[in-house]
Amino acid sequence: MRIGFLQLRPRFGAVKENVRKAIALLDQLSDATVVLPELFNTGYLFRNEEELSSLAETIPGGYTVSEMQKLAKKRQLNIVFGMAQRYKGAYYNSAVCVTSKGKIEVYQKVHLFDREKLFFTRGKSFKIVSTEQAKLGLLVCFDWIFPEAARTLALGGAQILCHPSNLVLPYAKDAMKTRCIENRVFGVTANRIGSERRGTMFLSFTGGSQIVNPAGDVLASASDRSESLRVVEIDVGEALDKNITTNNNLFEDRTPSLYKALVRKRR
Ligand code: ACM
């Protein structure tokens, strides 16, 4: 199967422009599973909840998901992308998967980063999407720093970690290689580039999107400067083999009974 990423430089608040650009770039591609950045349609640095409210969309029913669904069907793509979701009076930083067969699945980010905690509600469960080719485990950006998130998805059968991101810390790409090695899965981190200055706030995003195999090898990567679409062919069956040596199986050798925290009573 073919997996890839689309690294983008969204313009804050310009939803139609951002979505149209992504669609124009993806319209060159067919028969692939492709990952886009976190919040790719809105940009990242919301100043307040009103701003988020004016840009968040419902799933399904909103502009972004409708347009991505049309493209997924037309080009036979499974597309994973990040967007702000309005759901039951709250806002979620969500990863959406629209499949070539018309399915829509949503994962609401569990581990919110920094100011995201001011406006977004934390998700309550992880999500694996079954497509015809593979089981996809959805993560959003800062989930990378919690090994339990990738482990939970891998134990649930995920073969590819799909990881829409707006990375600002320098360690995530190396950590994702480790997440792939320790779970023997593929990983696609789709990051964004550029920066956002909103009032007194400023963030610069690190690019370097990458596709990693279960041995931790980088199969494709992007620079930190340019928008970029990369796709590689993989044998996703490699992610089913959890043996590290003849005598070591990553999942069978786990010892969960010893993994309980040594809790010290707080005074
Ligand atoms: C992040 O979770 N956007 C750093």
Side-chain angles (χ1 to χ4, degrees), residues 38 44 93 109 111-113 116 140-144 165-169 205:
E38 178 184 15
Y44 183 77
N93 183 345
K109 184 175 185 178
H111 301 103
L112 298 173
F113 181 69
E116 290 171 29
V140 178
C141 204
F142 194 51
D143 285 328
W144 66 266
S165 295
N166 277 189
L167 295 166
V168 291
L169 300 176
F205 302 93

Side-chain angles (χ1 to χ4, degrees), residues 18-29:
N18 295 330
V19 172
R20 282 188 196 131
K21 182 170 64 179
I23 287 175
L25 292 164
L26 289 176
D27 217 2
Q28 318 160 26
L29 189 65

